[in-house]
Amino acid sequence: MNVSIKITENNNAVHASIAGEIDAYTAPKVRDELIKHAEKKGMQLVVDLTEVIYMDSTGLGVFVGLFKQLRANEGDLTLTGMSERLQRLFDITGLADVMDINTEVEGGV
């Protein structure tokens, strides 16, 4: 399965919608598309995961890296639209306690 990423940018706000699977095969593409926005100072990155049907630990690693990069550059990461399965993955790993997770889908930027 492939992954598709749609990005909308408006000043210091970026909205990314991801569809498909985020695994060892597709995670590098997701990371490469999103990290360039995380390197900018003060970016607000909202990632909509509504259409993500599967994520493994490699995908989690991508979001941990994004979170750290954004925080280092005084930015924020918000994850939205997670299925119960994805939410459970973030809960089990403790990432839900440190990342901003909104179960509702946020509007576009």
Side-chain angles (χ1 to χ4, degrees):
M1 177 81 183
N2 282 328
V3 67
S4 65
I5 305 163
K6 180 181 174 188
I7 296 177
T8 306
E9 186 172 359
N10 183 5
N11 296 323
N12 279 2
V14 174
H15 183 270
S17 295
I18 302 175
E21 298 179 359
I22 306 174
D23 56 20
Y25 177 72
T26 61
K29 178 180 178 182
V30 174
R31 182 190 62 241
D32 292 347
E33 289 293 320
L34 297 179
I35 198 70
K36 56 189 163 194
H37 301 288
E39 294 170 343
K40 299 175 186 175
K41 188 167 182 77
M43 287 301 279
Q44 305 300 310
L45 179 57
V46 177
V47 181
D48 180 3
L49 301 172
T50 302
E51 295 185 46
V52 172
I53 57 173
Y54 174 80
M55 184 185 314
D56 67 9
S57 61
T58 312
L60 285 175
V62 168
F63 290 106
V64 169
L66 280 172
F67 178 77
K68 287 181 178 181
Q69 185 69 42
L70 283 158
R71 285 293 170 100
N73 291 318
E74 300 174 12
D76 285 308
L77 173 65
T78 302
L79 302 176
T80 66
M82 274 197 227
S83 66
E84 287 183 28
R85 185 176 186 155
L86 288 181
Q87 179 68 52
R88 181 166 157 71
L89 188 60
F90 279 80
D91 288 341
I92 289 170
T93 58
L95 293 173
D97 295 333
V98 294
M99 291 185 177
D100 183 10
I101 297 174
N102 183 345
T103 55
E104 301 297 319
V105 177
E106 302 255 330
V109 175

